[in-house]
Amino acid sequence: QMDVKTAFQIGDLEEKACIVQLKGFVMKGNENMGCRLKRSIYGLKQALRSWYLKFDGTIKKFGFQENIEGNCIYSKFKNGRFIFLILYVD
């Protein structure tokens, strides 16, 4: 079991998303401009989906297969041994 504190910052965004400049980081002369996000952040509607797609693609590169019956359950069989990976997001 493990907890990833910055999990939602790992996913790449496929669509354009912008936010207002954060307090303390406002550029003088450009106060009315926003920031375009290249990666997801916690609280963004797309954050969970973009993180899942990144995780799914990465774990499959290691030879895991997603269970047909249930999402977020991965398995890997090799040389008579097996590994089950169960993904739970709270």
Side-chain angles (χ1 to χ4, degrees):
Q1 179 177 349
M2 66 180 284
D3 186 17
V4 180
K5 300 279 185 199
T6 59
F8 293 113
Q9 297 171 355
I10 297 171
D12 299 318
L13 292 176
E14 295 179 5
E15 57 278 323
K16 290 183 181 180
C18 298
I19 60 170
V20 298
Q21 294 180 59
L22 303 173
K23 291 180 183 178
F25 295 94
V26 178
M27 296 177 61
K28 292 185 180 184
N30 294 318
E31 293 85 3
N32 295 327
M33 296 187 80
C35 300
R36 181 170 175 213
L37 299 174
K38 293 183 179 181
R39 295 190 175 264
S40 62
I41 59 173
Y42 183 80
L44 191 66
K45 289 181 182 181
Q46 300 92 330
L48 182 58
R49 179 74 177 152
S50 66
W51 177 82
Y52 169 76
L53 292 174
K54 182 81 161 196
F55 176 85
D56 183 68
T58 302
I59 204 70
K60 286 180 178 177
K61 288 179 185 176
F62 287 100
F64 283 85
Q65 295 179 344
E66 192 169 16
N67 188 323
I68 298 171
E69 298 297 321
N71 293 341
C72 300
I73 300 173
Y74 295 86
S75 60
K76 181 177 179 178
F77 300 95
K78 186 175 181 180
N79 299 331
R81 296 181 179 213
F82 57 90
I83 299 172
F84 287 101
L85 189 146
I86 301 169
L87 180 65
Y88 173 76
V89 178
D90 183 15

